[in-house]
Amino acid sequence: MSIKDTAEEWQITATTTPFTGNKTSVRTDDVVMPDGTVARRDYQVHPGSVAVLALDDLGRVLVIRQYRHPVRHKLWEIPAGLLDVPGENPLHAAQRELYEEAHVKAEDWRVLTDVYTTPGGSDEAVRVFLARDLSEAEGRRFEVSEEEADMEIKRVPLEELVRGVLAGELHNTCLVVGVLSLVAAQGGDGLDSLRPAEAPWPARPFAS
């Protein structure tokens, strides 16, 4: 028996968009339940994101520390960012985020995992890439602003991040999922068995 998520869409009798923001919006749908009743569901409409678990030759992961206002915390995270253009190739977006946030490039890219971050309240889908064979990017550093102007960058041993995740000291979704997925892949069929960087992503279809 194969355990996997399946696409399905229940009937919507009405929909409105009570809020539209700069990058995301809020949608309200009236959804027909299995018993025939109609329930109202509010959720964030999100363009999708990419994240990069960048692993160097010493087994260290590149992490950044950034202030996140909704949770009133400075969180350790892996480089990540929005899919700014509909249909954008997620690999290209991931390469851009690694360059902009860490001024690093990578020669080997794989898909580590795909997740819905909060499917009960948002349609955000994130593709987490594994990037290896790292080196410093050429040219001038990308000029950061706002929260990113205060970012701290480190390379931390993978085992230290695992300990922090399991101790409840590290909370960022992409970091937690990426770190634990990497450990699972290393202990399973190996990193070279991961999906190729251009693997299809039904949650956010893209052109090659």
Side-chain angles (χ1 to χ4, degrees):
M1 180 180 177
S2 177
I3 302 297
K4 64 180 182 179
D5 298 332
T6 56
E8 184 168 325
E9 186 168 354
W10 292 359
Q11 181 185 357
I12 299 171
T13 60
T15 185
T16 60
T17 305
F19 170 78
T20 300
N22 185 34
K23 296 292 186 180
T24 67
S25 60
V26 173
R27 182 175 296 163
T28 299
D29 290 340
D30 291 342
V31 186
V32 180
M33 298 290 110
D35 63 0
T37 61
V38 176
R40 180 156 292 176
R41 295 289 179 260
D42 303 315
Y43 59 99
Q44 179 193 36
V45 178
H46 195 284
S49 306
V50 292
V52 184
L53 195 149
L55 183 69
D56 70 15
D57 293 339
L58 299 178
R60 300 175 303 176
V61 175
L62 190 154
V63 291
I64 60 177
R65 190 172 184 234
Q66 185 171 349
Y67 177 66
R68 294 301 188 183
H69 185 70
V71 295
R72 309 302 198 271
H73 269 70
K74 273 193 170 182
L75 300 179
W76 285 104
E77 308 178 351
I78 57 178
L82 298 176
L83 293 170
D84 292 321
V85 180
E88 181 178 16
N89 187 309
L91 174 60
H92 300 167
Q95 291 168 332
R96 179 184 69 238
E97 293 300 330
L98 186 60
Y99 163 73
E100 290 182 355
E101 295 191 355
H103 201 66
V104 166
K105 64 179 182 178
E107 298 302 322
D108 187 280
W109 290 83
R110 308 276 173 146
V111 174
L112 190 53
T113 189
D114 299 324
V115 295
Y116 292 116
T117 54
T118 49
S122 173
D123 70 351
E124 182 183 13
V126 180
R127 170 156 281 188
V128 183
F129 288 91
L130 172 65
R132 294 181 291 172
D133 193 3
L134 309 181
S135 61
E136 195 77 5
E138 295 91 0
R140 295 177 58 187
R141 282 188 170 271
F142 182 78
E143 189 172 333
V144 296
S145 61
E146 300 177 344
E147 291 94 341
E148 293 183 351
D150 190 45
M151 284 196 313
E152 180 182 351
I153 302 174
K154 282 189 175 182
R155 296 193 184 196
V156 179
L158 176 61
E159 57 271 21
E160 184 176 336
L161 295 177
V162 172
R163 183 204 62 77
V165 168
L166 299 180
E169 298 169 353
L170 299 171
H171 307 90
N172 175 262
T173 300
C174 294
L175 183 146
V176 171
V177 171
V179 163
L180 298 185
S181 295
L182 177 60
V183 172
Q186 289 176 329
D189 294 331
L191 301 185
D192 289 337
S193 69
L194 292 169
R195 287 173 291 162
E198 297 273 7
W201 189 17
R204 293 294 185 273
F206 62 93
S208 300

